[in-house]
Amino acid sequence: MGKFLYAPEIAKLGHVALVSADLEKSLSFFRDTIGLEETEVVDGVHYLRAWGDFEHHTLSIKAGSTSYIDHIGWRTKRREDVATFAKLLEDAGTEVRWIQAGEEVAQGEAIRFELPSGHRFELYYDMEKTPADESRKSVLKNQTYKSWAKGVSPRRIDHVNLQTSHDNAEIVKYLQEALGFKLREYFVNPDDVQVASWLSVTNLVHDVAIMSTPRSKEPNEMHHIAYWLDNSQDLLRAADILCEADVQFVGPGKHGISQAMYIYVKDPGSGLRLEIFTNGYLIFEPDWEPIKWTYEEYLKNGSAYWGDRRRDDVDRDAQVKELLRS
Amino acid sequence: MGKFLYAPEIAKLGHVALVSADLEKSLSFFRDTIGLEETEVVDGVHYLRAWGDFEHHTLSIKAGSTSYIDHIGWRTKRREDVATFAKLLEDAGTEVRWIQAGEEVAQGEAIRFELPSGHRFELYYDMEKTPADESRKSVLKNQTYKSWAKGVSPRRIDHVNLQTSHDNAEIVKYLQEALGFKLREYFVNPDDVQVASWLSVTNLVHDVAIMSTPRSKEPNEMHHIAYWLDNSQDLLRAADILCEADVQFVGPGKHGISQAMYIYVKDPGSGLRLEIFTNGYLIFEPDWEPIKWTYEEYLKNGSAYWGDRRRDDVDRDAQVKELLRS
Amino acid sequence: MGKFLYAPEIAKLGHVALVSADLEKSLSFFRDTIGLEETEVVDGVHYLRAWGDFEHHTLSIKAGSTSYIDHIGWRTKRREDVATFAKLLEDAGTEVRWIQAGEEVAQGEAIRFELPSGHRFELYYDMEKTPADESRKSVLKNQTYKSWAKGVSPRRIDHVNLQTSHDNAEIVKYLQEALGFKLREYFVNPDDVQVASWLSVTNLVHDVAIMSTPRSKEPNEMHHIAYWLDNSQDLLRAADILCEADVQFVGPGKHGISQAMYIYVKDPGSGLRLEIFTNGYLIFEPDWEPIKWTYEEYLKNGSAYWGDRRRDDVDRDAQVKELLRS
Amino acid sequence: MGKFLYAPEIAKLGHVALVSADLEKSLSFFRDTIGLEETEVVDGVHYLRAWGDFEHHTLSIKAGSTSYIDHIGWRTKRREDVATFAKLLEDAGTEVRWIQAGEEVAQGEAIRFELPSGHRFELYYDMEKTPADESRKSVLKNQTYKSWAKGVSPRRIDHVNLQTSHDNAEIVKYLQEALGFKLREYFVNPDDVQVASWLSVTNLVHDVAIMSTPRSKEPNEMHHIAYWLDNSQDLLRAADILCEADVQFVGPGKHGISQAMYIYVKDPGSGLRLEIFTNGYLIFEPDWEPIKWTYEEYLKNGSAYWGDRRRDDVDRDAQVKELLRS
């Protein structure tokens, strides 16, 4: 189409690199209960992905003395965008570190940097689309592994939700201007201050959300990561599976924001919250106006349109005691 | 099969006769939002049923100065059972009143009496299985109306749940001995006293439940009536429909007892609580041992195995205020 | 309730005893692909059941030189009914053989006899409701095993469907008069002759069906056995699982008769056809009039109301060739 | 982000403009049976959309002496892209006609042109996002109409599928080079010639498909348009609705290509085929390699992975006769 000059773009959420203080518990949770497939283990790092993920991994887990998110990886639209982003970020004053090809297994060269909130992002382009081994591969040409092999069995990674004590609008501005994310929905507190925002580069309502909440002690926390199921009944099946596995969770419910249905469950190994996610709508409009929810609208419909909306930092015994009182 | 002498039996839940202080609101709720079909209106009484109900009606609604349940109708297994039940009940000291054929539209002769709790039951055998009119009838020979014509669109009536201040075990004994219901599941309070019980004559886990709870002021209240949907996603669809109709509800969730999924919603007209109900299990074992849930087991799994379990006598504004505090 | 004299009754379908010419393939199919749990193995007989079945087994499989159904077991309503049925059957000229308690593992004394078609039925009352072992038991008190542990994961056994070259009305008459089954739905051929019938003793539309079709060479064939799933999406999930397991099947579809949704799949080991079954309606009316479908009505809606209705005695290669022609 | 020069891009499928030889039948089908909402009627043109569509219309229907697709409208990414596309198309020898703002109700200025196959495309940018009227608007801020108000009730328009007698690879090349569509999946005939292709500009597996089949008499036919449902059970509900409306259809089934589940049904008014569509996967990889299906792979899994796959140009009577023979 002739000579064009493009801004660098992020194409999709790539992966989350988790460090777990209890690797075995985390593996048992993500591999068996949730049903992610393990592509391989290299130097003690377990590379996992869902049956419909194409890249080598969408979740890596390794052991650590504490549990934390090492980085969130995003794939760029073009190979050259990695370098272009590096330059633009450095020009804007952000410290950028280059990661050699192979330093992260199956991945080409990449850059890592921190958001103003301290969250660590990684941008890469090259990533091996490792085929599944014979025994696990799908009969379908357009799918990596057999579906439904074990556990909840989500199809693919969906999004990440960052929690911060940082000012929300400032992080949103950074995501928009430095990285090209588009604001899709957000809500404000009673003082009309933006406190949580949903942004995407894809047609999903969000690839990344950023929530500034009173509960955030640190600027660079993770609220949750999310994997996607195709159907609502599969979410209810997930609820049964989690109950049988004696894992506490919140949900099912449906958000007003994104209209997606959810279950929130914490990995017993690392404490990382996982959102099991389905339904919702897609955004195709090129001139999408961000939808603003007032705090009242958010409480009424935006957060939990219907369904279970309990706090999940309350343990089951306490919940039973609470019911005992009513 | 030769000469046999049978005990009279109840075959199924027949119908609920509702009196509503706001008939128009109740009709709007049951007919449009829930999607029950109206068979006919006679003398101001609206006779409704679900698209998969075969009898003339499973819910009748008429106007009244207050809202209450006039009676719950049960169909007997044999025509002669109505008279046999009448005799047995009278012999046991229960006052029995005969209802002439036609006094309740489309119904044959019947008897009415009160449980020790004061709940009024009706036993009948003959009931017209009124076909649907041409424009609404299903293309299927084994179905009355077209399905999915409007609203939530449940298939059929499912059960009734009675609330009482009366002693639970006493009412259960009456239901078992006088009427032949079988106890399926029950739970006890912290003092090991039976407080809520689920009983049936059919393969359903319950056709009738009786709950003795602190909140019962009267001996003969109705906790809810229930209509059945075939699939879990139809329950979630119902949640959307109720939200769009601006009707408050509790759910979706799944009970441990019965394993059924639920939404509880109140008819804005009469205040009668409706449970929209799906899934669960059936009981075929002839020697079924009633399952006892301790109070702790009930709180943990029996009541709400997963899902939304909020109190529904709290209005939406109050719930928003509660969330504002957290 | 005083002195009553009851006819013996069948309460429910108990189990199917399968002999397989390829035991390992059958076990792989039923245990892994379908996801039945194995209670135990005794003397080479594998006793299987679904996670929501309560009795010791609903499907037993053992090796044989050929594949066939040894017997279909039905549970009676009362312990004494076994002997009463034995007497009534013998009085009517049927040869009855007594099975000692324990001859079939976990089962009390029983009788076996043949229908006029040659199908072998067994009637028993006592059957151990074996709890699941710690690692597999459900967290729910009213459920045997954890659900969703593997494969398609149906909840329980549902029905059997017998195929015969015998006259259909004659077998139906026998089932009604000798065993108390009630005719629910049936269809006739173009000459108005009854050719297939659905009967039950429970609220299910059928516990047993009997089909007299041109394809029956023998009088005592099995068309299929069926296991039940709770939701339609679980049936579609089953379709994916079967495809990934490279097992041919017909469906999904929905029958007009019973209104249930189906997949038909053959056990690669024995060739026994399994119907994976969900939805449909229940019959509570004590005076249910059998629904007659003309042959035209049956072809239009009765057999396949919607969905896949191909013949399943055509292999995949042949089907591909057929599509190649169109 | 500095100075960049972009190629014009198509952002999404906008709408289909249908001319129907029986307007009333088409309106009854699309508005009542399928459940699209009517935004308004202007000069005899009915502007329809699904409850989750944001633009003024996604389907317009007007009366004509014959039934045909007047044009397919696509929204560009930037306002200036309309003019840029016009220039690039004209430079390549395509005749481009300008449409004044308002000539199509609620739409800004646009261009129309024909593909080499003769299919007429329209490119626009400005389109009013008409809010719904008070009585029909959703309680959700991010949704236009109340969901589930009537009929099948799909959420949004999904894709179009063009049929042609033209060479497939040539049309694909045009779509790629002139309009920026990316090839996602395709299959070849036994001679390894590309005959059907699925392309998109969004994350959907396809926004447009082009099928060159023996049955195409004309170069510019429409195979189908598609609307999207969120859940598989809603597709099965659609099957019931269509049966009750006595409308013939093919499905449900699941495609291997796209992995989406489908029902194909023809509008009785115009004969236009509608695909009711759900599930499937999304493509986020920027370097997606088009997946090639050999003809054998296509027949085995690509077309109908499972489910009903009958030809839909055979009427019901003929199908009944066919079943009569088997």
Side-chain angles (χ1 to χ4, degrees):
Chain A
M1 276 194 187
K3 263 214 178 67
F4 295 102
L5 198 60
Y6 296 103
E9 289 180 65
I10 289 174
K12 54 165 280 192
L13 172 63
H15 55 268
V16 174
L18 172 66
V19 180
S20 175
D22 192 326
L23 178 63
E24 285 317 306
K25 264 194 182 163
S26 289
L27 288 175
S28 170
F29 176 73
F30 281 108
R31 243 183 4 201
D32 306 330
T33 305
I34 299 305
L36 298 183
E37 296 287 350
E38 190 171 87
T39 312
E40 60 179 327
V41 187
V42 178
D43 294 336
V45 182
H46 294 254
Y47 293 93
L48 309 179
R49 53 184 172 167
W51 51 262
D53 281 322
F54 297 101
E55 294 189 298
H56 178 268
H57 60 277
T58 53
L59 176 66
S60 68
I61 317 181
K62 74 183 188 194
S65 52
T66 61
S67 300
Y68 62 95
I69 299 294
D70 185 78
H71 66 271
I72 300 167
W74 301 88
R75 190 169 191 205
T76 60
K77 193 164 175 182
R78 309 166 196 84
R79 185 173 288 110
E80 55 268 31
D81 289 353
V82 178
T84 312
F85 267 123
K87 183 177 190 312
L88 291 169
L89 288 165
E90 281 170 331
D91 287 351
T94 303
E95 192 179 315
V96 170
R97 184 164 77 88
W98 278 90
I99 307 295
Q100 298 270 36
E103 206 176 307
E104 187 165 342
V105 172
Q107 185 174 276
E109 58 176 16
I111 58 169
R112 287 189 195 161
F113 60 98
E114 288 186 1
L115 270 56
S117 52
H119 294 93
R120 193 176 309 140
F121 276 15
E122 174 181 84
L123 299 177
Y124 68 94
Y125 177 78
D126 287 303
M127 175 70 84
E128 188 184 292
K129 294 196 194 68
T130 322
D133 50 287
E134 265 311 301
S135 65
R136 289 188 288 170
K137 74 186 291 238
S138 176
V139 296
L140 288 170
K141 306 197 76 168
N142 48 15
Q143 186 173 306
T144 310
Y145 295 93
K146 295 185 196 296
S147 51
W148 310 122
K150 51 196 172 103
V152 169
S153 201
R155 172 186 279 277
R156 58 169 174 79
I157 194 166
D158 194 87
H159 65 268
V160 291
N161 187 311
L162 317 175
Q163 191 163 297
T164 185
S165 53
H166 226 89
D167 174 63
N168 201 262
E170 187 196 330
I171 307 301
V172 167
K173 189 166 188 281
Y174 183 88
L175 289 167
Q176 290 173 307
E177 295 183 357
L179 302 173
F181 284 96
K182 302 185 199 68
L183 180 63
R184 306 307 204 174
E185 306 206 45
Y186 67 100
F187 74 87
V188 296
N189 68 13
D191 301 317
D192 203 40
V193 172
Q194 190 166 338
V195 289
S197 308
W198 285 258
L199 304 95
S200 68
V201 285
T202 66
N203 296 131
L204 303 182
V205 170
H206 69 306
D207 300 304
V208 63
I210 175 86
M211 297 173 60
S212 307
T213 71
R215 287 197 294 280
S216 306
K217 303 183 206 49
E218 302 291 325
N220 64 343
E221 295 176 339
M222 180 69 86
H223 192 268
H224 64 264
I225 71 173
Y227 274 81
W228 165 272
L229 282 168
D230 287 350
N231 285 287
S232 63
Q233 160 56 20
D234 298 323
L235 186 72
L236 306 189
R237 194 181 81 99
D240 286 344
I241 288 170
L242 295 174
C243 284
E244 295 282 22
D246 203 29
V247 179
Q248 294 195 28
F249 60 94
V250 173
K254 174 171 169 164
H255 297 301
I257 292 175
S258 80
Q259 296 182 24
M261 300 175 194
Y262 62 87
I263 278 173
Y264 290 108
V265 56
K266 285 183 181 172
D267 162 28
S270 67
L272 173 63
R273 186 185 286 107
L274 167 72
E275 183 179 24
I276 307 172
F277 199 72
T278 186
N279 276 240
Y281 71 101
L282 297 176
I283 295 177
F284 299 107
E285 303 302 339
D287 62 344
W288 181 263
E289 271 301 308
I291 294 178
K292 172 184 179 179
W293 298 70
T294 66
Y295 198 57
E296 196 181 344
E297 289 171 338
Y298 171 72
L299 289 181
K300 189 164 196 249
N301 282 333
S303 173
Y305 185 46
W306 51 248
D308 181 25
R309 64 206 66 197
R310 294 167 298 158
R311 291 269 301 271
D312 69 352
D313 48 356
V314 174
D315 74 41
R316 182 150 291 214
D317 290 335
Q319 283 165 353
V320 166
K321 287 200 189 74
E322 184 194 336
L323 286 164
L324 229 139
R325 284 198 311 271
S326 56
Chain B
M1 279 196 188
K3 260 211 181 64
F4 295 102
L5 199 59
Y6 296 103
E9 289 179 65
I10 289 175
K12 56 165 278 191
L13 171 64
H15 55 268
V16 173
L18 171 66
V19 180
S20 175
D22 191 328
L23 177 64
E24 286 315 307
K25 264 193 181 163
S26 290
L27 289 174
S28 170
F29 176 72
F30 282 109
R31 242 181 6 198
D32 306 330
T33 304
I34 299 304
L36 298 182
E37 297 287 350
E38 190 170 87
T39 310
E40 60 179 327
V41 186
V42 178
D43 294 336
V45 181
H46 294 255
Y47 293 92
L48 308 179
R49 55 184 170 166
W51 50 263
D53 282 321
F54 296 102
E55 294 189 299
H56 178 268
H57 60 277
T58 51
L59 176 67
S60 68
I61 317 181
K62 74 183 188 193
S65 51
T66 61
S67 299
Y68 63 95
I69 298 295
D70 185 78
H71 66 272
I72 300 167
W74 302 88
R75 190 169 190 204
T76 60
K77 194 165 176 181
R78 308 166 197 83
R79 184 173 287 109
E80 55 267 30
D81 289 353
V82 179
T84 312
F85 267 123
K87 183 178 189 316
L88 291 169
L89 287 164
E90 280 169 332
D91 287 352
T94 304
E95 192 179 316
V96 171
R97 183 162 78 88
W98 278 91
I99 307 295
Q100 297 271 36
E103 205 175 309
E104 186 164 343
V105 172
Q107 186 173 275
E109 59 176 15
I111 59 169
R112 286 190 196 161
F113 61 97
E114 288 187 3
L115 270 55
S117 52
H119 293 95
R120 193 176 309 138
F121 276 15
E122 173 181 84
L123 299 178
Y124 68 94
Y125 177 77
D126 287 303
M127 174 70 86
E128 189 184 292
K129 294 197 195 68
T130 321
D133 50 288
E134 267 310 302
S135 65
R136 288 187 289 170
K137 74 186 290 238
S138 175
V139 296
L140 288 170
K141 305 197 77 168
N142 49 15
Q143 186 174 306
T144 310
Y145 295 94
K146 294 183 196 297
S147 51
W148 309 122
K150 51 196 171 100
V152 168
S153 202
R155 173 186 278 278
R156 57 169 174 81
I157 193 166
D158 193 270
H159 66 267
V160 291
N161 188 311
L162 317 175
Q163 192 164 296
T164 184
S165 53
H166 225 88
D167 174 63
N168 200 261
E170 187 195 328
I171 307 301
V172 167
K173 189 165 186 280
Y174 182 89
L175 289 168
Q176 290 174 306
E177 296 184 355
L179 301 174
F181 284 96
K182 303 186 198 68
L183 180 62
R184 305 309 204 172
E185 306 206 45
Y186 67 101
F187 74 88
V188 295
N189 68 13
D191 300 317
D192 203 39
V193 172
Q194 190 167 336
V195 288
S197 308
W198 284 258
L199 304 95
S200 67
V201 286
T202 66
N203 296 131
L204 302 182
V205 170
H206 70 305
D207 300 304
V208 63
I210 175 87
M211 298 174 59
S212 306
T213 72
R215 286 198 294 279
S216 306
K217 302 183 208 51
E218 301 291 326
N220 64 343
E221 294 176 338
M222 180 70 86
H223 191 268
H224 64 264
I225 70 173
Y227 274 81
W228 166 272
L229 282 168
D230 288 349
N231 285 287
S232 64
Q233 161 56 18
D234 297 322
L235 186 72
L236 307 189
R237 195 181 79 99
D240 285 345
I241 288 171
L242 295 174
C243 284
E244 294 283 21
D246 203 28
V247 179
Q248 294 196 28
F249 60 94
V250 173
K254 174 171 170 167
H255 299 300
I257 291 174
S258 81
Q259 296 183 24
M261 298 176 195
Y262 62 86
I263 279 174
Y264 290 108
V265 55
K266 286 183 179 171
D267 162 28
S270 66
L272 173 64
R273 186 185 286 107
L274 168 72
E275 183 177 27
I276 307 172
F277 199 72
T278 187
N279 277 240
Y281 71 101
L282 297 176
I283 294 177
F284 299 108
E285 305 300 340
D287 62 345
W288 181 263
E289 270 302 310
I291 294 178
K292 172 183 178 180
W293 299 71
T294 66
Y295 198 58
E296 195 180 346
E297 289 171 337
Y298 171 71
L299 288 181
K300 190 165 195 245
N301 281 333
S303 173
Y305 185 48
W306 50 248
D308 181 25
R309 65 206 64 198
R310 294 167 298 157
R311 292 268 301 271
D312 68 351
D313 49 356
V314 174
D315 74 41
R316 184 152 292 219
D317 290 335
Q319 285 165 353
V320 166
K321 288 200 190 72
E322 183 193 336
L323 287 164
L324 230 138
R325 284 197 312 270
S326 57
Chain C
M1 276 196 189
K3 262 213 179 66
F4 295 102
L5 198 60
Y6 296 102
E9 289 179 65
I10 290 175
K12 54 165 281 193
L13 170 65
H15 55 267
V16 173
L18 171 66
V19 180
S20 175
D22 191 327
L23 178 64
E24 286 316 307
K25 264 194 182 164
S26 289
L27 289 175
S28 170
F29 177 72
F30 281 108
R31 243 183 3 200
D32 305 330
T33 305
I34 299 304
L36 299 182
E37 296 287 350
E38 189 170 270
T39 311
E40 61 179 326
V41 187
V42 179
D43 295 335
V45 183
H46 294 254
Y47 293 92
L48 308 179
R49 54 184 170 165
W51 51 262
D53 282 322
F54 296 101
E55 293 189 301
H56 178 268
H57 60 276
T58 51
L59 176 67
S60 69
I61 318 181
K62 74 184 186 194
S65 51
T66 62
S67 300
Y68 63 95
I69 297 296
D70 185 78
H71 66 271
I72 299 166
W74 301 87
R75 189 169 192 205
T76 60
K77 194 164 175 181
R78 308 167 196 83
R79 185 173 287 110
E80 55 266 32
D81 289 354
V82 179
T84 312
F85 266 124
K87 183 176 189 315
L88 291 169
L89 287 165
E90 280 171 331
D91 286 352
T94 304
E95 192 178 316
V96 170
R97 184 162 80 87
W98 278 91
I99 307 294
Q100 298 270 38
E103 208 177 306
E104 187 164 343
V105 171
Q107 186 173 276
E109 59 176 14
I111 59 169
R112 286 190 197 161
F113 61 98
E114 287 187 3
L115 269 57
S117 52
H119 293 94
R120 193 175 310 138
F121 276 15
E122 173 181 85
L123 299 178
Y124 69 95
Y125 177 77
D126 287 303
M127 175 70 85
E128 188 184 292
K129 292 196 196 70
T130 321
D133 50 286
E134 266 311 303
S135 65
R136 289 188 288 170
K137 75 187 291 240
S138 176
V139 297
L140 288 170
K141 307 196 75 170
N142 49 14
Q143 186 174 306
T144 311
Y145 295 93
K146 294 185 196 297
S147 50
W148 309 123
K150 51 194 171 103
V152 169
S153 201
R155 173 187 278 277
R156 57 170 175 80
I157 193 166
D158 194 270
H159 66 267
V160 290
N161 187 312
L162 318 175
Q163 191 164 298
T164 184
S165 53
H166 224 89
D167 174 64
N168 199 261
E170 186 195 329
I171 307 300
V172 167
K173 190 164 186 282
Y174 183 87
L175 290 167
Q176 290 173 307
E177 295 183 355
L179 301 174
F181 284 96
K182 301 185 199 69
L183 180 62
R184 305 309 203 173
E185 305 206 45
Y186 67 100
F187 74 87
V188 295
N189 67 14
D191 300 318
D192 204 40
V193 172
Q194 189 167 338
V195 289
S197 308
W198 285 258
L199 305 95
S200 68
V201 285
T202 66
N203 295 132
L204 302 183
V205 171
H206 69 305
D207 300 303
V208 63
I210 175 85
M211 298 173 59
S212 307
T213 71
R215 286 196 295 279
S216 306
K217 304 184 206 52
E218 301 291 325
N220 64 344
E221 294 176 337
M222 179 70 86
H223 192 267
H224 64 265
I225 72 172
Y227 274 81
W228 166 271
L229 282 168
D230 288 350
N231 285 287
S232 64
Q233 161 55 19
D234 297 321
L235 186 73
L236 306 189
R237 195 182 79 100
D240 285 345
I241 288 171
L242 296 174
C243 284
E244 294 284 21
D246 203 29
V247 179
Q248 293 195 29
F249 60 95
V250 173
K254 175 171 169 165
H255 298 301
I257 292 175
S258 81
Q259 294 181 29
M261 299 174 194
Y262 64 85
I263 279 173
Y264 290 107
V265 56
K266 286 183 179 173
D267 162 28
S270 67
L272 173 63
R273 187 185 286 106
L274 168 72
E275 183 177 26
I276 307 171
F277 199 72
T278 186
N279 277 240
Y281 70 101
L282 297 177
I283 295 177
F284 299 107
E285 305 301 340
D287 62 344
W288 180 264
E289 270 301 309
I291 294 179
K292 172 184 179 180
W293 299 70
T294 65
Y295 197 58
E296 195 180 346
E297 291 171 337
Y298 171 71
L299 288 181
K300 189 164 196 245
N301 282 333
S303 172
Y305 185 46
W306 49 249
D308 180 26
R309 66 206 65 197
R310 294 167 298 157
R311 291 270 300 271
D312 68 351
D313 49 357
V314 175
D315 75 41
R316 184 152 291 216
D317 289 334
Q319 283 165 354
V320 166
K321 287 199 191 72
E322 182 193 336
L323 287 164
L324 230 138
R325 284 198 311 269
S326 55
Chain D
M1 275 195 189
K3 260 214 181 64
F4 296 101
L5 198 60
Y6 297 101
E9 288 179 65
I10 290 175
K12 54 165 281 192
L13 171 64
H15 56 267
V16 173
L18 172 66
V19 180
S20 175
D22 192 328
L23 178 63
E24 286 316 305
K25 264 194 181 163
S26 289
L27 288 174
S28 169
F29 177 72
F30 282 107
R31 242 182 4 198
D32 306 329
T33 304
I34 300 304
L36 299 182
E37 296 288 350
E38 190 171 87
T39 312
E40 61 178 326
V41 186
V42 178
D43 293 337
V45 181
H46 294 254
Y47 294 93
L48 309 178
R49 54 185 171 165
W51 51 262
D53 281 322
F54 297 101
E55 293 189 300
H56 178 269
H57 59 277
T58 50
L59 177 66
S60 67
I61 318 182
K62 73 183 188 194
S65 52
T66 61
S67 299
Y68 62 95
I69 298 295
D70 185 77
H71 66 271
I72 299 166
W74 302 86
R75 189 169 192 205
T76 60
K77 193 164 177 183
R78 307 167 197 83
R79 185 172 287 110
E80 55 268 31
D81 289 354
V82 178
T84 312
F85 267 124
K87 183 177 189 313
L88 290 169
L89 288 164
E90 281 170 330
D91 287 350
T94 304
E95 193 178 315
V96 170
R97 184 163 78 88
W98 277 91
I99 307 295
Q100 298 271 35
E103 206 176 307
E104 187 164 343
V105 171
Q107 185 172 278
E109 58 176 14
I111 59 169
R112 287 190 197 162
F113 60 98
E114 289 186 3
L115 270 57
S117 52
H119 293 94
R120 192 174 312 136
F121 276 14
E122 175 182 83
L123 299 177
Y124 68 94
Y125 177 77
D126 287 302
M127 174 69 85
E128 190 184 290
K129 293 197 197 67
T130 322
D133 49 289
E134 266 310 302
S135 65
R136 289 188 289 170
K137 73 185 292 235
S138 175
V139 297
L140 288 170
K141 306 196 77 169
N142 48 14
Q143 187 174 305
T144 310
Y145 295 93
K146 294 183 195 296
S147 50
W148 309 123
K150 52 196 171 101
V152 168
S153 201
R155 173 187 278 277
R156 57 168 175 81
I157 193 166
D158 194 87
H159 66 267
V160 291
N161 187 312
L162 317 175
Q163 191 163 297
T164 185
S165 53
H166 226 89
D167 174 64
N168 201 261
E170 187 195 328
I171 306 301
V172 167
K173 189 165 187 280
Y174 183 88
L175 290 168
Q176 290 174 306
E177 295 184 357
L179 301 173
F181 284 95
K182 302 187 200 66
L183 181 63
R184 305 308 203 175
E185 306 206 45
Y186 67 100
F187 75 87
V188 295
N189 68 12
D191 300 317
D192 204 41
V193 173
Q194 190 166 340
V195 289
S197 309
W198 285 258
L199 305 95
S200 69
V201 285
T202 66
N203 296 131
L204 302 182
V205 171
H206 69 305
D207 301 304
V208 62
I210 176 85
M211 299 174 59
S212 306
T213 71
R215 286 198 294 281
S216 305
K217 303 183 206 49
E218 301 291 324
N220 65 344
E221 294 176 339
M222 180 69 87
H223 191 269
H224 64 265
I225 71 173
Y227 274 81
W228 165 272
L229 282 168
D230 287 350
N231 285 286
S232 65
Q233 161 56 18
D234 297 322
L235 186 72
L236 307 189
R237 194 181 80 98
D240 285 344
I241 288 171
L242 294 175
C243 284
E244 296 283 21
D246 203 29
V247 178
Q248 293 195 28
F249 60 95
V250 173
K254 174 171 169 165
H255 298 301
I257 291 176
S258 81
Q259 297 183 24
M261 300 176 195
Y262 62 85
I263 279 174
Y264 290 107
V265 56
K266 285 183 180 172
D267 161 28
S270 66
L272 173 63
R273 186 185 287 107
L274 168 71
E275 183 178 26
I276 307 171
F277 200 71
T278 186
N279 276 240
Y281 72 101
L282 297 176
I283 295 177
F284 299 107
E285 304 301 339
D287 62 344
W288 181 264
E289 271 302 308
I291 294 178
K292 172 183 177 179
W293 299 71
T294 66
Y295 198 58
E296 195 180 345
E297 289 171 337
Y298 171 71
L299 287 181
K300 190 166 196 250
N301 282 332
S303 172
Y305 185 47
W306 51 247
D308 180 25
R309 64 207 66 197
R310 294 167 298 157
R311 291 267 303 269
D312 68 350
D313 48 357
V314 175
D315 75 41
R316 184 152 289 218
D317 289 333
Q319 284 165 350
V320 165
K321 287 199 191 74
E322 182 192 338
L323 288 163
L324 229 138
R325 284 198 311 271
S326 54

